[in-house]
Coordinates of all heavy atoms in Angstrom, one line a residue:
D1 N -14.4 -4.5 7.7 CA -15.0 -3.5 6.7 C -13.8 -3.0 5.9 O -13.0 -2.1 6.2 CB -15.6 -2.4 7.5 CG -16.4 -1.3 6.6 OD1 -16.2 -1.5 5.3 OD2 -17.0 -0.3 7.0
K2 N -13.8 -3.3 4.6 CA -12.7 -3.0 3.7 C -13.1 -2.1 2.5 O -12.4 -2.0 1.5 CB -12.0 -4.2 3.2 CG -11.5 -5.1 4.3 CD -10.7 -6.3 3.8 CE -11.7 -7.4 3.2 NZ -12.5 -8.1 4.3
R3 N -14.3 -1.4 2.6 CA -14.9 -0.6 1.5 C -13.9 0.6 1.2 O -14.0 1.0 0.1 CB -16.2 -0.2 1.8 CG -17.3 -1.3 1.8 CD -18.6 -0.7 2.3 NE -18.6 -0.5 3.8 CZ -19.6 0.1 4.4 NH1 -20.7 0.3 3.8 NH2 -19.5 0.4 5.7
N4 N -13.2 1.1 2.3 CA -12.4 2.3 2.0 C -10.9 1.9 1.7 O -10.0 2.8 1.7 CB -12.4 3.2 3.3 CG -12.0 4.6 2.9 OD1 -12.2 5.1 1.8 ND2 -11.2 5.1 3.9
Y5 N -10.6 0.7 1.6 CA -9.3 0.1 1.3 C -8.8 0.5 -0.1 O -9.6 0.5 -1.0 CB -9.1 -1.3 1.7 CG -9.0 -1.7 3.1 CD1 -9.6 -0.9 4.1 CD2 -8.2 -2.7 3.6 CE1 -9.6 -1.2 5.4 CE2 -8.0 -3.0 4.9 CZ -8.8 -2.2 5.9 OH -8.7 -2.6 7.1
K6 N -7.5 0.6 -0.3 CA -6.9 1.1 -1.5 C -6.6 -0.2 -2.4 O -6.1 -1.2 -1.9 CB -5.7 1.9 -1.2 CG -5.8 3.2 -0.6 CD -4.5 4.0 -0.3 CE -4.8 5.3 0.4 NZ -3.5 6.0 0.6
I7 N -6.9 0.0 -3.7 CA -6.6 -1.1 -4.6 C -5.1 -1.0 -5.0 O -4.5 0.0 -5.2 CB -7.5 -0.9 -5.9 CG1 -9.0 -1.1 -5.5 CG2 -7.1 -1.9 -7.0 CD1 -9.9 -0.9 -6.7
V8 N -4.7 -2.3 -5.1 CA -3.2 -2.6 -5.5 C -3.2 -3.4 -6.7 O -3.8 -4.4 -6.7 CB -2.4 -3.2 -4.4 CG1 -0.9 -3.4 -4.8 CG2 -2.3 -2.2 -3.1
H9 N -2.3 -3.1 -7.7 CA -2.1 -3.9 -8.8 C -0.8 -4.5 -8.8 O 0.1 -3.9 -8.1 CB -2.3 -3.1 -10.2 CG -3.6 -2.6 -10.6 ND1 -3.9 -1.9 -11.7 CD2 -4.9 -2.8 -9.8 CE1 -5.3 -1.6 -11.7 NE2 -5.9 -2.2 -10.6
E10 N -0.7 -5.6 -9.3 CA 0.7 -6.3 -9.4 C 1.7 -5.3 -10.0 O 1.5 -4.8 -11.0 CB 0.6 -7.6 -10.3 CG 1.9 -8.3 -10.4 CD 1.8 -9.6 -11.3 OE1 0.7 -10.0 -11.6 OE2 2.8 -10.1 -11.7
G11 N 2.9 -5.2 -9.3 CA 4.0 -4.2 -9.8 C 3.8 -3.0 -9.1 O 4.7 -2.1 -9.4
D12 N 2.8 -2.6 -8.4 CA 2.7 -1.3 -7.6 C 3.7 -1.3 -6.5 O 4.0 -2.3 -6.0 CB 1.3 -1.1 -7.2 CG 0.2 -0.7 -8.3 OD1 0.8 -0.4 -9.4 OD2 -0.9 -0.7 -7.9
M13 N 4.2 -0.1 -6.3 CA 5.0 0.1 -5.1 C 4.1 0.4 -3.9 O 3.3 1.4 -4.0 CB 6.0 1.2 -5.3 CG 6.8 1.6 -4.0 SD 7.9 0.4 -3.4 CE 9.2 0.4 -4.5
V14 N 4.2 -0.3 -2.8 CA 3.3 0.0 -1.7 C 4.2 0.3 -0.4 O 5.1 -0.4 -0.3 CB 2.3 -1.1 -1.3 CG1 1.4 -0.8 -0.3 CG2 1.6 -1.7 -2.6
Y15 N 3.7 1.3 0.3 CA 4.7 1.6 1.5 C 3.7 2.1 2.8 O 2.7 2.6 2.4 CB 5.8 2.6 1.2 CG 5.3 4.0 0.9 CD1 5.3 5.0 1.9 CD2 5.1 4.5 -0.4 CE1 4.8 6.3 1.7 CE2 4.9 5.8 -0.6 CZ 4.6 6.7 0.4 OH 4.3 8.0 0.1
N16 N 4.2 1.7 3.8 CA 3.6 2.3 5.1 C 4.1 3.7 5.3 O 5.2 4.0 5.6 CB 4.1 1.4 6.2 CG 3.4 1.7 7.6 OD1 3.0 2.9 7.8 ND2 3.2 0.7 8.4
S17 N 3.0 4.6 5.3 CA 3.4 6.1 5.2 C 4.1 6.4 6.5 O 4.9 7.5 6.6 CB 2.1 6.9 5.1 OG 1.4 6.6 3.9
M18 N 3.9 5.8 7.6 CA 4.4 6.1 9.0 C 5.7 5.4 9.2 O 6.4 5.6 10.2 CB 3.4 5.9 10.1 CG 2.1 6.7 10.1 SD 1.0 6.6 11.4 CE 2.1 7.4 12.6
R19 N 6.0 4.5 8.4 CA 7.3 3.6 8.6 C 8.1 3.6 7.4 O 9.1 2.7 7.3 CB 6.9 2.2 9.0 CG 6.3 2.0 10.4 CD 7.4 2.3 11.5 NE 6.8 2.2 12.8 CZ 6.3 3.3 13.5 NH1 6.6 4.4 13.0 NH2 5.9 3.2 14.7
M20 N 7.9 4.5 6.5 CA 8.8 4.5 5.2 C 10.2 4.8 5.6 O 11.2 4.3 5.0 CB 8.2 5.6 4.2 CG 8.9 5.6 2.9 SD 8.7 4.0 2.0 CE 8.8 4.5 0.3
W21 N 10.4 5.7 6.6 CA 11.8 6.0 7.0 C 12.6 4.8 7.6 O 13.8 4.9 7.8 CB 11.8 7.2 8.0 CG 11.0 6.9 9.3 CD1 9.7 7.1 9.4 CD2 11.6 6.5 10.5 NE1 9.3 6.7 10.7 CE2 10.4 6.4 11.3 CE3 12.8 6.1 11.0 CZ2 10.6 5.9 12.7 CZ3 12.9 5.8 12.3 CH2 11.9 5.7 13.1
Q22 N 11.8 3.7 7.9 CA 12.5 2.5 8.3 C 12.5 1.4 7.2 O 13.1 0.4 7.4 CB 11.7 1.8 9.5 CG 11.7 2.8 10.8 CD 10.8 2.3 11.9 OE1 9.8 1.7 11.6 NE2 11.4 2.3 13.1
G23 N 12.2 1.8 6.0 CA 12.3 0.9 4.9 C 11.0 0.0 4.8 O 11.1 -1.1 4.1
A24 N 9.9 0.3 5.3 CA 8.6 -0.4 5.3 C 8.0 -0.2 3.8 O 7.1 0.6 3.7 CB 7.7 -0.2 6.3
N25 N 8.5 -0.9 2.8 CA 8.0 -0.7 1.4 C 8.2 -2.0 0.6 O 9.1 -2.9 1.1 CB 8.5 0.5 0.8 CG 10.0 0.4 0.7 OD1 10.6 -0.4 -0.2 ND2 10.7 1.3 1.4
G26 N 7.6 -2.1 -0.4 CA 7.8 -3.2 -1.4 C 7.0 -3.3 -2.6 O 6.0 -2.4 -2.7
I27 N 7.4 -4.1 -3.7 CA 6.6 -4.2 -4.9 C 5.6 -5.3 -4.6 O 5.9 -6.4 -4.2 CB 7.6 -4.5 -6.0 CG1 8.6 -3.5 -6.2 CG2 6.7 -4.7 -7.3 CD1 8.1 -2.1 -6.7
S28 N 4.4 -5.0 -4.9 CA 3.3 -6.1 -4.7 C 3.4 -7.2 -5.8 O 3.5 -6.9 -7.0 CB 1.9 -5.5 -4.9 OG 0.9 -6.5 -4.6
P29 N 3.5 -8.6 -5.3 CA 3.5 -9.5 -6.3 C 2.2 -10.0 -7.0 O 2.1 -10.9 -7.8 CB 4.1 -10.6 -5.5 CG 3.6 -10.4 -4.3 CD 3.4 -8.9 -4.1
C30 N 1.2 -9.3 -6.5 CA -0.2 -9.8 -6.8 C -1.3 -8.5 -6.8 O -0.9 -7.5 -6.2 CB -0.8 -10.8 -6.1 SG -0.7 -10.4 -4.4
N31 N -2.4 -8.6 -7.3 CA -3.4 -7.7 -7.1 C -4.1 -7.9 -5.7 O -4.0 -8.9 -5.2 CB -4.6 -7.9 -8.2 CG -4.1 -7.6 -9.5 OD1 -3.1 -6.8 -9.8 ND2 -4.7 -8.3 -10.6
G32 N -4.6 -6.8 -5.1 CA -5.2 -6.8 -3.8 C -5.7 -5.5 -3.3 O -5.6 -4.5 -4.0
I33 N -5.9 -5.4 -2.0 CA -6.2 -4.1 -1.4 C -5.4 -3.9 -0.1 O -4.9 -5.0 0.6 CB -7.7 -4.1 -1.0 CG1 -8.2 -5.3 -0.2 CG2 -8.5 -3.9 -2.3 CD1 -9.6 -5.2 0.3
V34 N -5.1 -2.6 0.3 CA -4.4 -2.5 1.5 C -5.1 -1.4 2.3 O -5.9 -0.7 1.9 CB -2.9 -2.0 1.3 CG1 -2.1 -3.0 0.6 CG2 -3.0 -0.6 0.3
S35 N -4.7 -1.2 3.5 CA -5.3 -0.3 4.5 C -5.2 1.0 4.0 O -4.1 1.4 3.3 CB -4.6 -0.4 5.9 OG -4.9 0.7 6.7
P36 N -6.0 2.0 4.3 CA -5.8 3.5 3.9 C -4.5 4.2 4.5 O -4.2 5.2 4.0 CB -7.0 4.2 4.5 CG -8.1 3.0 4.7 CD -7.3 1.8 5.0
A37 N -4.0 3.4 5.5 CA -2.7 3.9 6.1 C -1.6 3.8 5.1 O -0.6 4.5 5.2 CB -2.4 3.3 7.3
Y38 N -1.7 2.9 4.1 CA -0.5 2.8 3.1 C -0.7 3.7 2.0 O -1.9 4.1 1.6 CB -0.6 1.3 2.7 CG -0.3 0.2 3.6 CD1 -1.3 -0.7 3.9 CD2 0.9 0.2 4.3 CE1 -0.9 -1.7 4.9 CE2 1.2 -0.7 5.2 CZ 0.3 -1.7 5.5 OH 0.6 -2.7 6.4
T39 N 0.4 3.9 1.3 CA 0.3 4.7 0.0 C 0.7 3.8 -1.1 O 1.6 3.0 -1.0 CB 1.4 5.9 0.1 OG1 1.0 6.8 1.1 CG2 1.5 6.6 -1.3
V40 N 0.0 3.9 -2.1 CA 0.1 3.0 -3.3 C 0.7 3.9 -4.4 O 0.1 4.8 -4.9 CB -1.2 2.3 -3.7 CG1 -0.9 1.3 -4.9 CG2 -1.8 1.6 -2.5
L41 N 1.8 3.4 -5.1 CA 2.4 4.1 -6.2 C 2.3 3.3 -7.5 O 2.9 2.0 -7.4 CB 3.8 4.4 -5.9 CG 4.2 5.3 -4.6 CD1 5.6 5.6 -4.5 CD2 3.3 6.6 -4.7
M42 N 1.9 3.8 -8.6 CA 1.9 3.0 -9.8 C 2.8 3.7 -10.9 O 2.9 4.8 -11.0 CB 0.4 3.0 -10.4 CG -0.2 4.3 -10.8 SD -1.9 4.2 -11.3 CE -2.2 6.0 -11.6
P43 N 3.5 2.7 -11.6 CA 4.6 3.2 -12.5 C 4.0 4.1 -13.5 O 3.0 3.7 -14.2 CB 5.1 2.0 -13.0 CG 4.8 0.8 -12.1 CD 3.6 1.3 -11.6

C-alpha cells in the first residue's frame, strides 16, 4: 500500500530522517516515491 508515500522528482534530495546523522541521503536520479519515513527536499 503506497498511497501515503511521498513523491520524488529527479534532482530532489532525499534522506532517511532516522539515519541522516550517518550520511543516509542522496540526490534522486529519477522520479518516484519513497516511504513516509523519508524526507524529500526540492531545490
